[in-house]
Amino acid sequence: MKKIKILIIGLFVIALLSGCSLKSNEKKELDISQIRTISDLATIETYYHNVAKLNKEKSNIFAQDRELWIEYTGTGKVGIEMSKVDMKMSGNKVIITIPPAKLLSFSVDENKISDDNYYYNSDNKWLFKNEISIEEETAAINVAQENMKKDIEGNTALLNQAQNRAKDLIEKYIIQISSISEKEYKIEWIYDKNEN
Amino acid sequence: MEVKEMENQTSQKNRKTKKVKQKNTDNKKIKIKNIFAFIIVSLVFVIVLNVLFGRGKTTITATSTLTKISEISELSTAEYTYNGIAVKYKNDKEKKGNEEYYVSYEGKVTAGFDFNEITIEINKKSKKIYMILPEIEINNVNVDIGKLDYLKVKKTPESGESQNAYKLCKEDLENDIRNDTDFYNTAKQNAENTLIAFMNPWINNLNSDYTIEFKTKEAK
């Protein structure tokens, strides 16, 4: 009998503790996973008008098909990795190899997304609702973001423009510093088209 | 004789009543059977209709149109990767027990300065090249809106809430990073390392007597 009492009390304590641990897991400490050193020179910022359309068919005949449209502005920053710029001297020539431009970051313009940018058709009022969950809505925005990302990465004119602007920015300082020499140097640029 | 006749009549009546009762019971049984049959047929009908018309499929399509391009010159030299949790309070009143939902996010913050704002001063007497760098600033606070995950406390976040959750996460991330001096110091140190690595071969070739020194531009 005593053993059973101990067992019951033990189980009760375990249940209490596990309850507490679940609750404390609800709010985790921020996990700073890493600080990384980078050398990204962003030279072009792009603005995209994105429209995500979600169509959720009814799962039973009493429900009705639902649609959600979201329009918002997405932004992307394009540029080069400075650490991949290579400089070589050859007589009075400076040969600088500049890496290809790439998409460095992309996000949603928080000032251009609000309740007014969400459009729905109505749902049944009482029974047999076909609700669009927040997870489905998040998935729709994610598809639009990936779409924008692909568009930027495939826009060679834009990438070339970003690479050219990086070249202009770097050249300005190289010319400025060259005044410490009596000699005159000629700068030659090599546009690397391949990502290393 | 009369008694016998009466008995016969009573037993006949009883038999008749029994028969009527039996008939009623049979009718009831048939009715119940019919109701069951009707329910089963209706269920089968609904299931067939659901299979035929209730597909429950979700499809997503998206279009992206480039609307504007602007020239920038942001050099980012440090990146912080964050996995955080933001809390949505009911009516935005921050107190314990008032939580509506938690939202977990993946975010990245980058810091650096405007590359175009670097000033170079050359002192030919002391053979020094002064690179005057702007103050380190936060260049990007990015939260991956596609990776937001929700934990309901009092209320399941409704559709349309993702933009509020996104803003909440960005705010949470900005608040955490704003006063982190280690992050700013890393960005500053790496900015100097990047510029030295880039300029030194050039300077050494031009005139190896010169050395680079960094200064920070005073904030406007």
Side-chain angles (χ1 to χ4, degrees), chain B residues 43-176:
Chain B
L43 276 175
V44 170
F45 184 68
V46 167
I47 289 165
V48 168
L49 280 179
N50 271 343
V51 169
L52 289 176
F53 301 107
R55 289 148 291 178
K57 210 173 108 187
T58 303
T59 46
I60 298 167
T61 52
T63 52
S64 298
T65 317
L66 180 63
T67 54
K68 198 175 103 183
I69 289 174
S70 63
E71 288 190 336
I72 53 170
S73 45
E74 268 179 24
L75 178 67
S76 297
T77 52
E79 184 183 79
Y80 226 172
T81 306
Y82 247 62
N83 292 304
I85 296 169
V87 192
K88 169 78 175 85
Y89 291 96
K90 197 180 169 189
N91 301 325
D92 296 324
K93 279 178 189 161
E94 207 177 314
K95 66 173 185 188
K96 221 177 170 191
N98 203 31
E99 298 90 348
E100 245 177 38
Y101 64 83
Y102 295 114
V103 51
S104 75
Y105 63 87
E106 285 180 25
K108 270 182 189 169
V109 184
T110 58
F113 52 77
D114 188 342
F115 189 74
N116 214 13
E117 291 290 313
I118 301 173
T119 313
I120 293 178
E121 284 173 8
I122 297 165
N123 189 325
K124 290 192 174 177
K125 272 187 188 170
S126 62
K127 306 262 185 228
K128 287 218 187 305
I129 297 168
Y130 295 103
M131 293 193 95
I132 304 153
L133 310 181
E135 268 202 290
I136 295 289
E137 287 176 350
I138 298 293
N139 283 341
N140 299 297
V141 179
N142 286 340
V143 167
D144 190 341
I145 197 167
K147 287 187 180 157
L148 299 183
D149 198 13
Y150 301 89
L151 176 64
K152 172 203 161 183
V153 181
K154 278 188 182 159
K155 196 179 151 197
T156 307
E158 285 168 3
S159 183
E161 186 62 23
S162 59
Q163 46 96 15
N164 287 327
Y166 174 69
K167 287 170 192 168
L168 200 72
C169 293
K170 272 196 92 166
E171 207 179 284
D172 188 68
L173 187 50
E174 272 166 359
N175 286 341
D176 282 309

Side-chain angles (χ1 to χ4, degrees), chain B residues 2-53:
Chain B
E2 267 181 18
V3 174
K4 234 183 182 181
E5 244 177 50
M6 271 180 76
E7 269 179 358
N8 272 343
Q9 271 178 1
T10 320
S11 71
Q12 261 180 358
K13 251 186 187 176
N14 280 345
R15 255 183 267 146
K16 262 187 186 174
T17 321
K18 263 187 184 175
K19 265 188 184 175
V20 170
K21 271 188 181 173
Q22 183 65 41
K23 215 178 177 182
N24 279 346
T25 320
D26 287 350
N27 279 346
K28 265 185 189 171
K29 275 183 183 170
I30 289 165
K31 264 187 187 174
I32 290 167
K33 270 185 190 171
N34 283 345
I35 288 168
F36 268 116
F38 178 75
I39 290 170
I40 287 164
V41 168
S42 302
L43 276 175
V44 170
F45 184 68
V46 167
I47 289 165
V48 168
L49 280 179
N50 271 343
V51 169
L52 289 176
F53 301 107

